[in-house]
Amino acid sequence: MSVKVKCLNPIAACGLDMLDDRYEIVENTEDAEAILVRSAGMHDMELPDNLLAVARAGAGVNNIPLEKCAEKGIVVFNTPGANANGVKELVVASMLLAARDITGGINWCKENKDNADVAKEAEKAKKAFAGTEIKGKKLGIIGLGAIGVIVANAANRLGMDVYGCDPYLSVEHALNMSRDVTLLKTNEELYEMCDYLTVHVPLLDSTKGMFNKEAFDKMKDGVVLLNFSRDTLVNEEDLKEALASGKVGRYVVDFPNPTTVNLPNTTVTPHLGASTQESEDNCAKMAVSEIRDFIENGNIKNSVNYPNCDAGVCPTEGRLAIAHKNVPKMLSQFTTLFSKDGVNIENMVNRSRGDFAYSIFDICSDIKEEVVKELEAMDGVIRVRVIK
Ligand code: MLT
């Protein structure tokens, strides 16, 4: 029987092509065992009982009820880094567009398309669109994940003085970052010194509204604030005041909403950051390969609500994958049950993340239905899957 996959948004064909005849794309969400999604909202959705996994082809997961999924044993994945280059290129373009009134100049030319003296008049008109260069300006990057680090490197190559802050900077990202980038301990230090600020953090309860009056007050007068993460990271009432007073010179935001599209000195783009052929292809391929590894091997890579857990391809007769609560005695209960049934464990991987944990057992015999039933009945067990 094939595994039923529902796409809640259009997913690039090169990713869907990676689903072989063991998978089937279905129309009805109720039938789905796996969901592929971009930005469709899932918070009000009834989660099907058969649903095993959700893969977000993108980075932000604020459209998915992560906790609710975890409670039901539904593993949620995202595709970190897969669209980072697309976002980086738009951030760089946006800094250049904020430094000079290039769009104003382009519009002037369009308005003068029937003017025979356009060449002469352009020489007079152009002073209205003149600006500054980004070389030598200070750029502050809040969040040095997959996107923040490559924005830092690109800006450094363009001659900017680059500063960054990220209390959770990973070794991998630190190793990828140019040594010319100066790390600061607090966002406040960035606010005080930077001409441009760009934010690359996820939307969480702790980051929602982080750009508020208190933060704006600490920023340099006329700062350019770039937001390619999520609109609600910014307190838009406080931003209105900061724009009116000139504290924030320009706000560049990739999230149109009834407020942002009406703000003065603001450039709004329609969530274009990852809308490139390459980013869409990369995200789709990564999302599908995460789903396949999970369905076929029980492995978890790049999950945002369960721990990563990789046991490779099963070399033995049978494999069991158990999603469970991260509470004492779970493992001892599993192993006691296996030993009671004479089941020999060949390999075992157990990982935890917050309140949830995940265990993979490779065993050298078939898995009996009664054992599965006993596991399912244990307190703290959320879902048991017989992978093989
Ligand atoms: C992301 O979260 O990856 C970006 O907002 C792009 C997208 O949603 O496609």
Side-chain angles (χ1 to χ4, degrees):
M1 265 222 317
S2 51
V3 176
K4 296 180 174 47
V5 181
K6 166 74 185 167
C7 299
L8 293 182
N9 296 103
I11 301 293
C14 62
L16 297 182
D17 288 347
M18 289 163 54
L19 295 170
D20 59 21
D21 54 10
R22 286 171 287 179
Y23 296 85
E24 177 195 351
I25 304 287
V26 292
E27 274 308 308
N28 288 336
T29 308
E30 310 87 84
D31 298 332
E33 292 163 279
I35 283 181
L36 290 163
V37 61
R38 286 189 64 182
S39 45
M42 293 183 65
H43 284 280
D44 298 327
M45 208 178 110
E46 184 103 13
L47 298 169
D49 285 342
N50 286 339
L51 186 61
L52 300 170
V54 174
R56 159 75 162 106
V61 286
N62 55 307
N63 54 325
I64 305 169
L66 302 183
E67 187 75 16
K68 190 168 140 196
C69 284
E71 292 286 354
K72 293 189 76 154
I74 300 165
V75 178
V76 181
F77 300 87
N78 72 346
T79 60
N83 58 21
N85 194 63
V87 180
K88 173 203 83 181
E89 290 189 6
L90 198 59
V91 171
V92 171
S94 300
M95 283 196 289
L96 296 167
L97 288 170
R100 306 184 194 198
D101 192 4
I102 300 170
T103 36
I106 293 170
N107 289 339
W108 183 88
C109 290
K110 278 192 191 149
E111 284 155 18
N112 283 274
K113 67 183 170 52
D114 300 321
N115 182 350
D117 286 331
V118 63
K120 200 164 144 222
E121 286 183 25
E123 292 309 316
K124 275 190 265 158
K126 70 180 183 187
K127 63 175 176 296
F129 311 117
T132 55
E133 296 178 18
I134 60 170
K135 184 174 177 202
K137 301 295 182 300
K138 290 187 168 59
L139 169 67
I141 304 179
I142 297 137
L144 293 163
I147 299 172
V149 163
I150 61 171
V151 169
N153 294 346
N156 174 56
R157 284 195 291 268
L158 287 167
M160 298 185 87
D161 270 351
V162 185
Y163 300 83
C165 177
D166 189 339
Y168 309 104
L169 177 65
S170 71
V171 173
E172 185 199 344
H173 290 135
L175 287 172
N176 282 335
M177 193 164 62
S178 158
R179 272 182 292 165
D180 292 333
V181 176
T182 307
L183 280 178
L184 297 177
K185 286 205 165 58
T186 63
N187 291 344
E188 283 67 25
E189 290 169 83
L190 294 179
Y191 298 162
E192 277 160 28
M193 58 157 47
C194 290
D195 309 294
Y196 290 79
L197 287 168
T198 185
V199 56
H200 300 286
V201 299
L203 176 65
L204 306 168
D205 286 343
S206 56
T207 57
K208 195 171 175 183
M210 64 186 278
F211 295 96
N212 53 17
K213 181 170 165 31
E214 204 187 330
F216 294 134
D217 285 348
K218 292 182 182 134
M219 292 179 192
K220 248 176 114 165
D221 289 345
V223 65
V224 174
L225 177 64
L226 303 127
N227 180 1
F228 287 82
S229 291
R230 286 295 178 262
D231 51 354
T232 44
L233 292 170
V234 174
N235 178 321
E236 288 168 352
E237 282 310 303
D238 292 355
L239 175 67
K240 266 187 207 166
E241 277 175 35
L243 284 163
S245 70
K247 183 57 148 174
V248 173
R250 178 148 293 271
Y251 180 47
V252 184
V253 59
D254 200 23
F255 304 96
N257 67 37
T259 306
T260 56
V261 292
N262 285 296
L263 289 171
N265 297 331
T266 296
T267 306
V268 194
T269 45
H271 199 190
L272 286 182
S275 291
T276 63
Q277 183 72 58
E278 294 85 346
S279 286
E280 289 178 10
D281 288 355
N282 289 341
C283 287
K285 286 193 273 188
M286 197 191 275
V288 169
S289 76
E290 289 163 354
I291 291 279
R292 282 199 58 173
D293 197 18
F294 179 66
I295 297 287
E296 292 164 32
N297 302 311
N299 294 329
I300 300 182
K301 188 165 180 214
N302 294 327
S303 175
V304 286
N305 68 343
Y306 268 90
N308 288 334
C309 189
D310 188 353
V313 175
C314 178
T316 59
E317 269 308 289
R319 172 173 287 183
L320 269 176
I322 308 175
H324 54 96
K325 288 282 174 69
N326 181 20
V327 290
K329 299 200 191 130
M330 293 300 322
L331 277 185
S332 64
Q333 287 186 80
F334 299 152
T335 52
T336 308
L337 174 66
F338 292 146
S339 69
K340 188 185 90 185
D341 278 279
V343 173
N344 182 40
I345 301 168
E346 288 275 336
N347 304 301
M348 183 185 108
V349 187
N350 165 266
R351 297 279 182 270
S352 67
R353 173 186 184 136
D355 291 340
F356 299 95
Y358 190 79
S359 302
I360 297 177
F361 295 95
D362 286 348
I363 55 181
C364 52
S365 53
D366 277 347
I367 295 149
K368 290 193 222 123
E369 225 177 286
E370 307 83 73
V371 175
V372 174
K373 286 214 170 87
E374 279 191 67
L375 286 167
E376 283 172 339
M378 279 178 190
D379 254 6
V381 168
I382 301 172
R383 177 170 253 157
V384 182
R385 284 178 64 212
V386 179
I387 306 292
K388 188 178 165 192

